[in-house]
Protein backbone atom coordinates (compact mmCIF):
# COMPACT_ATOMS: atom_id res chain seq x y z
CA UNK A 1 0.00 0.00 0.00
CA UNK A 2 1.33 3.42 -0.94
CA UNK A 3 0.64 6.21 1.50
CA UNK A 4 0.14 9.91 1.08
CA UNK A 5 2.70 11.63 -1.11
CA UNK A 6 4.01 14.73 0.69
CA UNK A 7 6.68 15.97 -1.70
CA UNK A 8 7.22 17.01 -5.28
CA UNK A 9 9.85 14.42 -6.15
CA UNK A 10 8.97 11.66 -8.60
CA UNK A 11 9.33 8.31 -6.83
CA UNK A 12 8.32 6.19 -9.80
CA UNK A 13 6.15 6.65 -12.86
CA UNK A 14 3.02 5.45 -11.05
CA UNK A 15 3.34 7.74 -8.03
CA UNK A 16 1.62 11.08 -8.65
CA UNK A 17 3.51 14.20 -7.66
CA UNK A 18 2.16 17.18 -5.76
CA UNK A 19 3.92 20.42 -4.86
CA UNK A 20 5.11 20.97 -1.32
CA UNK A 21 3.07 23.46 0.72
CA UNK A 22 5.77 26.10 0.33
CA UNK A 23 5.58 25.72 -3.48
CA UNK A 24 1.83 26.38 -3.75
CA UNK A 25 1.21 29.26 -6.14
CA UNK A 26 -1.96 31.36 -5.86
CA UNK A 27 -2.22 31.94 -9.62
CA UNK A 28 -1.96 28.20 -10.32
CA UNK A 29 -4.49 27.37 -7.58
CA UNK A 30 -6.97 29.98 -8.85
CA UNK A 31 -6.50 28.83 -12.44
CA UNK A 32 -7.26 25.25 -11.38
CA UNK A 33 -10.41 26.42 -9.57
CA UNK A 34 -11.46 28.51 -12.57
CA UNK A 35 -13.14 25.54 -14.23
CA UNK A 36 -16.67 24.77 -12.94
CA UNK A 37 -16.07 21.01 -12.82
CA UNK A 38 -12.83 21.39 -10.86
CA UNK A 39 -14.49 23.86 -8.51
CA UNK A 40 -17.29 21.34 -7.97
CA UNK A 41 -14.75 18.59 -7.18
CA UNK A 42 -12.93 20.88 -4.72
CA UNK A 43 -16.22 21.89 -3.12
CA UNK A 44 -17.22 18.23 -2.81
CA UNK A 45 -13.92 17.37 -1.09
CA UNK A 46 -14.00 20.45 1.14
CA UNK A 47 -17.47 19.63 2.40
CA UNK A 48 -17.21 15.85 2.72
CA UNK A 49 -13.57 14.82 3.07
CA UNK A 50 -11.77 12.01 1.24
CA UNK A 51 -13.40 10.39 -1.80
CA UNK A 52 -12.45 8.16 -4.67
CA UNK A 53 -13.11 9.12 -8.28
CA UNK A 54 -16.40 7.28 -8.56
CA UNK A 55 -17.84 9.24 -5.61
CA UNK A 56 -17.45 12.71 -7.13
CA UNK A 57 -20.74 14.40 -7.84
CA UNK A 58 -20.04 15.49 -11.40
CA UNK A 59 -22.41 14.66 -14.21
CA UNK A 60 -21.98 13.91 -17.88
CA UNK A 61 -18.20 13.65 -18.13
CA UNK A 62 -16.13 10.67 -19.14
CA UNK A 63 -13.73 8.90 -16.81
CA UNK A 64 -10.77 10.25 -18.79
CA UNK A 65 -12.06 13.83 -18.52
CA UNK A 66 -12.55 13.41 -14.77
CA UNK A 67 -8.99 12.07 -14.51
CA UNK A 68 -7.73 15.11 -16.39
CA UNK A 69 -9.50 17.49 -13.98
CA UNK A 70 -8.14 15.58 -10.98
CA UNK A 71 -4.62 15.78 -12.43
CA UNK A 72 -4.89 19.56 -12.78
CA UNK A 73 -6.14 19.90 -9.18
CA UNK A 74 -3.37 17.62 -7.92
CA UNK A 75 -0.60 19.37 -9.86
CA UNK A 76 -1.86 22.76 -8.61
CA UNK A 77 -1.52 21.41 -5.08
CA UNK A 78 -5.20 21.53 -4.15
CA UNK A 79 -5.73 17.83 -3.59
CA UNK A 80 -3.70 14.99 -2.11
CA UNK A 81 -3.84 11.45 -3.50
CA UNK A 82 -3.81 8.30 -1.42
CA UNK A 83 -3.34 5.09 -3.37
CA UNK A 84 -4.65 1.85 -1.95
CA UNK A 85 -4.25 -1.02 -4.38
CA UNK A 86 -5.99 0.07 -7.56
CA UNK A 87 -8.14 2.63 -5.75
CA UNK A 88 -7.17 6.30 -5.74
CA UNK A 89 -8.60 8.42 -2.95
CA UNK A 90 -8.37 12.20 -2.91
CA UNK A 91 -8.68 14.82 -0.21
CA UNK A 92 -8.38 18.58 -0.16
CA UNK A 93 -5.11 19.79 1.37
CA UNK A 94 -6.94 21.86 4.00
CA UNK A 95 -4.03 22.50 6.35
CA UNK A 96 -1.53 23.35 3.62
CA UNK A 97 -4.01 25.60 1.80
CA UNK A 98 -5.07 27.40 4.98
CA UNK A 99 -1.45 27.96 5.98
CA UNK A 100 -0.42 29.26 2.56
CA UNK A 101 -3.68 31.03 1.61
CA UNK A 102 -5.77 31.77 4.74
CA UNK A 103 -9.49 31.64 4.03
CA UNK A 104 -9.30 29.84 0.68
CA UNK A 105 -10.92 26.62 1.91
CA UNK A 106 -13.73 28.60 3.53
CA UNK A 107 -14.24 30.44 0.25
CA UNK A 108 -14.56 27.10 -1.55
CA UNK A 109 -16.99 25.82 1.08
CA UNK A 110 -19.09 28.96 0.91
CA UNK A 111 -19.31 28.88 -2.87
CA UNK A 112 -22.97 28.55 -3.63
CA UNK A 113 -23.87 25.44 -5.64
CA UNK A 114 -25.55 27.63 -8.27
CA UNK A 115 -22.13 29.05 -9.19
CA UNK A 116 -20.53 25.62 -9.43
CA UNK A 117 -22.51 24.50 -12.49
Amino acid sequence: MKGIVEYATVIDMKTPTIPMASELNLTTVCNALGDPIRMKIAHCLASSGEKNCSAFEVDHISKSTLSHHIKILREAGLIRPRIEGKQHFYSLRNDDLNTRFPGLVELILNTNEEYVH
Side-chain angles (χ1 to χ4, degrees):
M1 179 172 105
K2 293 185 182 184
I4 296 172
V5 178
E6 291 289 347
Y7 40 83
T9 309
V10 176
I11 297 170
D12 60 49
M13 295 309 287
K14 292 183 179 181
T15 303
T17 59
I18 60 171
M20 293 183 290
S22 62
E23 296 174 332
L24 293 175
N25 178 287
L26 184 59
T27 303
T28 305
V29 168
C30 290
N31 187 46
L33 291 173
D35 182 272
I37 291 172
R38 292 192 292 268
M39 183 62 161
K40 193 168 189 174
I41 292 168
H43 185 272
C44 179
L45 291 173
S47 61
S48 64
E50 186 180 70
K51 289 191 175 221
N52 69 359
C53 291
S54 62
F56 289 126
E57 298 149 8
V58 290
D59 298 322
H60 310 296
I61 63 170
S62 68
K63 186 176 178 179
S64 62
T65 301
L66 178 60
S67 293
H68 172 73
H69 286 297
I70 289 170
K71 177 184 176 193
I72 290 172
L73 290 169
R74 187 192 75 235
E75 289 178 348
L78 282 155
I79 61 175
R80 167 183 293 124
R82 182 175 65 82
I83 302 168
E84 189 174 308
K86 291 186 179 186
Q87 294 276 347
H88 287 70
F89 297 90
Y90 298 94
S91 59
L92 197 65
R93 294 175 64 189
N94 291 324
D95 293 339
D96 292 340
L97 290 167
N98 278 326
T99 299
R100 188 85 166 120
F101 311 115
L104 181 64
V105 175
E106 289 79 23
L107 179 65
I108 293 169
L109 278 170
N110 292 325
T111 300
N112 209 339
E113 281 295 319
E114 65 191 61
Y115 299 114
V116 185
H117 292 113

